[in-house]
């Protein structure tokens, strides 16, 4: 069994339950995953450092110590019903690529750093790509530390805790990045349908995350006549369906309400307050705008017609992010040399590469997801594709180093 397959199986045990894998940021299971990465990297002789939010960097020296490092990595955290490959694959593959360079005795000019980003999913703390956003200075450390989970625990406290916190490692000082590469499972059906084993990402879709609250009036489910109600949940339903209709009408836009809380939550009590998440995405920012406009139009309408109050808070905004064209050409050259015809594919999923592209040339490689499934326990990629991806990543590092 290859190292990449073996290590992914070991990681998949951390946070595993019948619903998939759950490794939220700064939880004991996710800390164990960071410890495992640190152990593997140390065993292979790389210098390990950590930054203040918990990102890990395993450095393989280049011939020119003054050169800025090439960073290669992905994230170790998962959504609550995660699979074994989203994020973890790119982290393990980065380490395997460095070890492959050692095995073949290839000396790069740039130092190469395998990176494990923290908090990419934004599952426990509500900002996505948190570790890479802080690293790329898009979010301040203080802002990040002040975030809190649904139990009211702040990230600062979670990172200070013994069982979920930072590891005991030297601080990463270096801030320069020559280039960023990320290998990831596609999480969609395109490569499999095309019968292609490698994808070169053209662009990462734009994404806006919000928190919305609708407030109405509670009351007895049996005695309040329908024309006297301000039912927060019925108003929310109208808003959600209006956003969905706008996304369908625009085409190429997707909107998802994945989490919704109804208060007070009694079966015979009219809902007084609904809070819910909105995940609005499109490769075209005008379309994301159109979905947000649909929210506000319907919110105004139901406020008047149903007597409810509607609030919307933007939590996280990422504009559509094109990948670096020169790096993309390099990835195509690598695929060609490997006898693989790589497909240009857009990424509907968000990635740390969105943040890294703000501070350095960034590019992504995809391998196929079986059935396109992801963010669910049955997420799966064939072992042969996992191994092919590591080879492509190793060759890509050498290509980018030139
Ligand atoms: O939500 C996303 O697209 C990513 O998996 N965090
Ligand atoms: Mn994900
Ligand atoms: Mn991911």
């Amino acid at each position: 069994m290859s190292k990449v397959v073996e290590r992914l199986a070991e990681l998949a045990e951390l946070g595993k339950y019948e619903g998939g894998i759950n490794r939220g940021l700064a939880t004991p299971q996710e800390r164990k995953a960071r410890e495992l990465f640190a152990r593997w990297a140390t065993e292979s002789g790389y210098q390990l450092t950590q930054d203040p939010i918990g990102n890990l960097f395993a450095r393989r020296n280049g011939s020119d110590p003054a050169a800025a490092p090439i960073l290669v990595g992905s994230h170790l955290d998962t959504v609550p019903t995660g699979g074994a490959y989203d994020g973890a694959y790119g982290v393990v593959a980065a380490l395997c690529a460095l070890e492959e360079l050692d095995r073949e005795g290839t000396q790069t000019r740039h130092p190469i750093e395998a990176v494990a980003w923290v908090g990419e999913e934004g599952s426990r703390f509500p900002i996505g790509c948190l570790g890479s956003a802080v690293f790329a200075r898009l979010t301040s450390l203080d802002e990040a530390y002040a975030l809190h989970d649904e139990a009211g625990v702040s990230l600062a406290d979670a990172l200070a805790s013994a069982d979920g916190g930072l590891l005991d490692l030297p601080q990463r000082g270096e801030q320069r990045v020559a280039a960023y590469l990320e290998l990831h499972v596609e999480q969609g059906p395109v490569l499999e349908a095309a019968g292609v084993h490698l994808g070169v990402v053209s662009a990462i879709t734009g994404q806006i995350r919000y928190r919305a609250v609708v407030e109405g009036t509670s009351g007895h489910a049996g005695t309040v006549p329908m024309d006297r109600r301000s039912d927060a949940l019925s108003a929310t339903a109208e808003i959600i369906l209006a956003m969905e209709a706008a996304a369908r009408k625009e085409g190429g836009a997707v909107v998802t309400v994945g989490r919704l809380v109804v208060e007070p939550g009694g079966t015979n009590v009219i809902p007084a307050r609904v809070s819910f998440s909105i995940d609005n995405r499109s490769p075209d920012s005008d379309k994301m705008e159109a979905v947000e406009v649909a929210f506000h139009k319907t919110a105004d309408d139901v406020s008047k017609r149903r007597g409810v109050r509607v609030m919307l808070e933007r939590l996280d905004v990422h504009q559509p992010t094109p990948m670096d064209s020169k790096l993309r050409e390099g990835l195509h050259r690598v695929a060609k040399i490997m006898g693989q015809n790589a497909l240009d594919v857009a990424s509907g999923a968000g990635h740390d590469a969105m943040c890294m592209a703000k501070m350095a040339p960034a590019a992504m490689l995809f391998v196929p997801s079986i059935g396109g499934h992801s963010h669910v326990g049955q997420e799966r990629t064939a072992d042969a594709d996992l191994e092919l991806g590591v080879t492509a990543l190793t060759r890509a590092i050498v290509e980018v180093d030139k």
Side-chain angles (χ1 to χ4, degrees):
M1 188 195 280
S2 60
K3 260 280 190 254
V4 60
V5 171
E6 195 185 298
R7 284 175 169 165
L8 280 174
E10 202 175 337
L11 264 176
E13 291 308 309
L14 301 176
K16 187 177 196 165
Y17 71 111
E18 68 288 341
I21 295 172
N22 185 5
R23 281 202 304 264
L25 172 52
T27 60
Q29 296 305 328
E30 184 265 343
R31 186 181 199 273
K32 284 199 185 87
R34 282 184 274 130
E35 284 171 341
L36 197 48
F37 172 79
R39 178 156 65 77
W40 290 331
T42 309
E43 282 166 357
S44 292
Y46 305 125
Q47 296 111 40
L48 209 62
T49 58
Q50 175 182 252
D51 72 5
I53 192 145
N55 296 316
L56 299 177
F57 305 85
R59 184 185 180 97
R60 180 180 190 262
N61 286 329
S63 57
D64 176 0
I70 295 170
L71 266 51
V72 186
S74 194
H75 59 94
L76 283 178
D77 65 315
T78 71
V79 292
T81 55
Y85 305 87
D86 176 1
Y89 173 51
V91 176
V92 170
L95 267 189
C96 292
L98 297 192
E99 289 158 354
E100 183 54 33
L101 294 173
D102 287 345
R103 250 195 307 282
E104 60 184 45
T106 300
Q107 175 66 54
T108 56
R109 182 170 74 79
H110 295 82
I112 313 293
E113 295 190 9
V115 185
W117 299 114
V118 294
E120 189 273 348
E121 294 293 0
S123 306
R124 180 180 176 190
F125 299 93
I127 302 268
C129 299
L130 189 58
S132 51
V134 168
F135 180 81
R137 302 232 186 297
L138 305 175
T139 303
S140 75
L141 195 55
D142 291 347
E143 250 177 292
Y145 279 166
L147 293 174
H148 53 270
D149 66 9
E150 289 188 345
V153 177
S154 73
L155 177 57
D157 290 348
L159 286 176
S161 71
D163 60 357
L166 296 174
L167 305 187
D168 179 16
L169 287 169
Q171 184 81 295
R172 183 179 194 274
E174 167 78 74
Q175 275 312 318
R176 299 167 304 154
V177 174
Y180 177 71
L181 288 174
E182 179 162 359
L183 173 58
H184 206 289
V185 290
E186 180 202 332
Q187 301 180 289
V190 173
L191 294 180
E192 182 185 60
V196 170
H197 297 275
L198 284 177
V200 174
V201 175
S202 51
I204 300 174
T205 189
Q207 175 180 9
I208 308 177
R209 290 186 190 198
Y210 313 76
R211 179 184 295 128
V213 175
V214 176
E215 283 179 346
T217 312
S218 194
H220 193 298
T223 58
V224 181
M226 290 312 279
D227 62 357
R228 305 269 302 272
R229 292 185 178 209
S230 295
D231 182 327
L233 186 53
S234 309
T236 299
E238 285 201 51
I239 291 171
I240 293 172
L241 292 176
M243 288 194 292
E244 189 187 52
R248 282 186 200 284
K249 181 165 152 278
E250 288 297 321
V254 287
V255 64
T256 313
V257 174
R259 201 156 170 66
L260 182 143
V261 175
V262 183
E263 295 166 83
T267 56
N268 53 0
V269 182
I270 299 170
R273 188 177 191 277
V274 176
S275 53
F276 57 102
S277 65
I278 301 169
D279 179 326
N280 175 4
R281 307 190 195 199
S282 175
D284 174 345
S285 28
D286 292 347
K287 298 184 182 221
M288 289 195 288
E289 199 55 40
V291 171
E292 192 171 314
V293 163
F295 176 99
H296 289 300
K297 242 174 92 263
T298 313
D300 292 348
D301 174 25
V302 293
S303 303
K304 291 188 195 76
R305 195 159 34 83
R306 292 174 172 272
V308 294
R309 258 164 31 89
V310 182
M311 281 78 71
L312 181 69
E313 180 193 0
R314 278 184 165 197
L315 297 175
D316 206 4
V317 182
H318 289 283
Q319 293 308 323
T321 309
M323 293 288 97
D324 181 82
S325 49
K326 273 182 62 204
L327 292 186
R328 286 175 54 197
E329 283 157 27
L331 294 179
H332 275 293
R333 275 197 301 278
V334 163
K336 209 163 160 57
I337 293 164
M338 290 173 62
Q340 296 286 338
N341 61 329
L343 199 62
D344 283 311
V345 54
S347 176
H351 299 284
D352 293 301
M354 291 184 295
C355 298
M356 293 310 289
K358 299 279 185 308
M359 68 178 287
M364 288 192 75
L365 267 174
F366 276 170
V367 290
S369 292
I370 295 173
H373 301 303
S374 182
H375 281 191
V376 288
Q378 78 257 40
E379 181 183 86
R380 185 92 184 79
T381 291
D383 291 356
D385 285 339
L386 295 171
E387 289 148 10
L388 183 85
V390 172
T391 306
L393 187 63
T394 308
R395 307 282 39 101
I397 290 169
V398 173
E399 182 69 28
V400 172
D401 180 52
K402 282 184 224 153

